Amino acid sequence: MQNTETRRVIFRHPRGIYETVEVSGTGVFGVPYCYTETVRTPKRDERRMVNPKEDAKARCEAKRNASATPEERQKIVELYEAGNSILAIARGQGRTYAVVSAILHASGVKMRSPGPKKKG
């Protein structure tokens, strides 16, 4: 006996995030079965999400690139080397702390240790 199975989409999320599929068929011993399952679709939805790992990887890559021009990157490096904190640069340049930090690391800047400066 052959195991025959049919799959039919009974619901698809409007943004393509997932589908509910009805699976029916006949088992090995001739016993019919039918069940539904909800599965994430392999295509990207409007939020550009496929799965959490890939989405996290894309966000991390976006932080690294930060879509900053070479002039903006140079300005950030100059501000940091002039003694400004990463937080102050981020606020002044309209970027997040993580983006400024990533730009500095990518530029090979020697990072200062955090904390208050010693008086001396």
Side-chain angles (χ1 to χ4, degrees), residues 9 11-21 37-43 45 47 49:
V9 176
F11 176 77
R12 181 172 287 130
H13 188 275
R15 287 187 275 166
I17 298 171
Y18 63 88
E19 297 175 335
T20 300
V21 180
E37 62 183 6
T38 301
V39 294
R40 186 181 288 273
T41 57
K43 296 181 181 177
D45 66 0
R47 296 177 302 151
M49 218 175 106

Side-chain angles (χ1 to χ4, degrees), residues 84-97:
N84 294 300
S85 69
I86 295 175
L87 186 59
I89 296 169
R91 287 180 179 159
Q93 297 294 312
R95 303 215 178 255
T96 64
Y97 183 95

